[in-house]
């Protein structure tokens, strides 16, 4: 375990990007082109989206925070009292969070974050290009103290205590011969995210396309940015990147959605037949129950050396979580 701390950044310290970096593409839902620039930001900024290029209107600043979520249908949309502002935030947020970048400003000149190849890998590459540096203040974590569960129909999600860091357990079940039931569980760390998760792409079913298009979704979707699942095969000529690419992508989505806690979660998240809506509902339920979580810091002076000891350095609450 590395607690999401990137190489070169001392454990327990905040981080940001060393340089800015720009990437461009189209939105998978809007089909509209957009350019985003990831900028370094001061400690305690968190991740902030800056929606610019709105035709003479002032730029809109939106915290990457669960309270900024305005919609969760097929993507996580952030906005404010003036309405939705930026769609499909989850993959860039997953990449920043998984690589341990606490502070960044994401400047966006369109209504949707570009989908790139449908995965988080292009954002990982951009962050690697920019570099990551340590900042002086301590990183703040949100430690889950007791289980919080949300059920919706045949899906459910829960966050429970897990002192080893952020763990994601995801199960999907699709009535489709190519997918069926898939499960994936992971204790998040940067190298593992790069290797096992970052390249997993967005997926969609041919059978849903007409319905999605008529509702204004997936207008920019193609085999360039989506694993397109037909009745008996994947339409992408190159096939899938992992045999269980579908569930791995759901893990990426969950990491991006949980990053909207505004801190690093210390807890285990389990999602069964869920998606953006469930991820948001569980995080909202956790944060609404003030007895279910607490802020903790890992003071640098108490930083443990060995992986097995990593829980020890945390300033744990006196009443103690359920660690069994
Ligand atoms: Zn996704």
């Amino acid at each position: 375990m590395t607690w999401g701390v990137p190489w070169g950044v001392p454990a327990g310290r905040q981080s940001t990007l060393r340089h800015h970096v720009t990437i461009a593409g189209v939105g998978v839902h809007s089909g509209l082109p957009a350019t985003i620039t990831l900028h370094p930001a001061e400690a305690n900024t968190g991740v902030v989206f800056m929606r610019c290029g709105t035709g003479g209107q002032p730029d809109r600043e939106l915290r990457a925070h669960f309270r900024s979520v305005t919609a969760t249908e097929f993507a996580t949309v952030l906005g404010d009292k003036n309405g939705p502002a930026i769609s499909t935030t989850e993959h860039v947020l997953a990449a920043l969070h998984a690589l341990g970048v606490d502070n960044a400003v994401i400047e966006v000149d369109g209504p949707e974050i570009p989908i790139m190849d449908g995965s988080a890998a292009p954002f990982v590459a951009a962050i690697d290009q920019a570099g990551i540096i340590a900042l002086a203040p301590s990183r703040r974590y949100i430690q889950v103290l007791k289980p919080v569960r949300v059920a919706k129909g045949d899906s459910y999600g829960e966050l429970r205590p897990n002192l080893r860091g952020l763990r994601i357990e995801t199960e999907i079940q699709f009535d489709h011969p190519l997918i069926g039931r898939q499960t994936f569980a992971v204790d998040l760390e940067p190298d593992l995210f790069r290797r096992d998760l970052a390249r997993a792409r967005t997926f969609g079913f041919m059978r849903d396309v007409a319905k999605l298009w008529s509702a204004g979704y997936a207008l920019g979707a193609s085999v360039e940015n989506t694993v397109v699942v037909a009745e008996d095969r994947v339409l992408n000529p190159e096939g899938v990147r992992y045999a269980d690419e579908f569930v791995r992508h759901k893990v990426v989505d969950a990491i991006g959605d949980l990053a909207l806690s505004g801190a690093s979660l210390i807890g285990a998240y389990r999602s069964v037949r869920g998606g953006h809506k469930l991820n948001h509902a569980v995080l909202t339920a956790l944060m609404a129950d003030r007895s279910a979580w607490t802020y903790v810091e890992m003071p640098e002076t108490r930083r443990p050396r060995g992986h097995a000891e990593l829980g020890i350095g945390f300033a744990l609450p006196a009443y103690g979580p359920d660690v069994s």
Side-chain angles (χ1 to χ4, degrees), residues 283-299:
L283 181 59
T284 302
L286 174 82
M287 299 307 288
D289 182 350
R290 201 55 193 82
S291 68
W293 60 276
T294 188
Y295 284 119
V296 293
E297 288 182 359
M298 182 164 59

Side-chain angles (χ1 to χ4, degrees), residues 161-217:
N162 175 54
L163 278 185
R164 292 182 58 80
L166 178 58
R167 177 177 174 81
I168 309 271
E169 302 164 352
T170 301
E171 177 179 331
I172 58 172
Q173 208 160 359
F174 284 93
D175 181 20
H176 192 287
L178 288 182
I179 304 180
R181 179 175 176 273
Q182 296 185 355
T183 61
F184 200 85
V186 62
D187 293 303
L188 185 62
E189 53 177 306
D191 288 346
L192 186 147
F193 183 81
R194 291 168 191 280
R195 189 185 66 225
D196 295 342
L197 295 169
R199 295 176 67 248
R201 293 163 295 176
T202 306
F203 60 95
F205 298 91
M206 276 305 288
R207 65 191 181 198
D208 296 336
V209 162
K211 201 171 63 185
L212 285 166
W213 282 351
S214 65
Y217 295 105

Side-chain angles (χ1 to χ4, degrees), residues 16-24 35-41 46-50 52 89 91-97 99 101 103-109 113-114 116 120-132:
T16 189
L17 301 170
R18 183 181 295 277
H19 301 291
H20 67 83
V21 62
T22 297
I23 42 180
T35 299
I36 70 169
T37 303
L38 310 179
H39 296 274
V47 176
V48 171
F49 289 90
M50 190 71 77
C52 55
T89 56
H91 304 155
V92 67
L93 288 177
L96 285 166
H97 195 71
L99 267 53
V101 180
N103 303 288
V105 173
I106 307 175
E107 187 186 331
V108 195
D109 71 350
I113 301 295
M116 309 311 289
F123 301 109
V124 168
I127 294 163
D128 284 344
Q129 191 186 329
I132 301 172

Side-chain angles (χ1 to χ4, degrees), residues 74-76 88 90-91 115 118-120 200-203 249-254 257 276:
F74 310 112
T76 297
T88 318
E90 57 270 18
H91 304 155
I115 190 66
S119 80
R201 293 163 295 176
T202 306
F203 60 95
H249 185 79
K250 287 284 190 179
V251 175
V252 172
D253 283 343
D257 289 341
H276 299 298

